[in-house]
Amino acid sequence: RAAAVAASSNQSGAASFETQTRAAMTALVKFVTDRWRRDLVSLIIGKFNSFCLLGFHSEFGGFLRQEIEQKLSELDQDESK
């Protein structure tokens, strides 16, 4: 009887170890895939910004300058009235 109890406690210890191992591996896989997803999104955003917005970036300075000059001239006209 003592041998049977020892064998069953040994099996439950192995099952507990297996459960803990599976939980640790699941957590590790989840962490790695989350980091991959975040890195991929960051890479995609960087590529989008560098290629798609490059034309906008080169024209933005002139556009901004025109808008500021227009607003300043409107302010000057309002103040002179």
Side-chain angles (χ1 to χ4, degrees):
R1 174 154 166 89
V5 170
S8 68
S9 67
N10 208 7
Q11 288 175 351
S12 68
S16 173
F17 179 74
E18 183 178 329
T19 303
Q20 290 175 351
T21 303
R22 285 187 189 271
M25 291 301 291
T26 301
L28 181 62
V29 168
K30 183 178 182 307
F31 176 78
V32 168
T33 54
D34 286 345
R35 289 305 308 172
W36 280 349
R37 186 178 304 120
R38 288 181 186 182
D39 289 344
L40 182 63
V41 167
S42 175
L43 228 158
I44 290 170
I45 289 171
K47 293 294 182 185
F48 175 78
N49 287 339
S50 65
F51 292 116
C52 297
L53 298 178
L54 192 59
F56 174 75
H57 182 269
S58 63
E59 297 173 3
F60 183 66
F63 171 77
L64 189 60
R65 191 176 316 111
Q66 288 175 352
E67 290 294 315
I68 290 174
E69 288 176 2
Q70 181 183 358
K71 295 298 180 187
L72 288 175
S73 67
E74 288 174 6
L75 286 174
D76 288 341
Q77 289 174 0
D78 289 342
E79 287 177 3
S80 64
K81 288 183 180 179

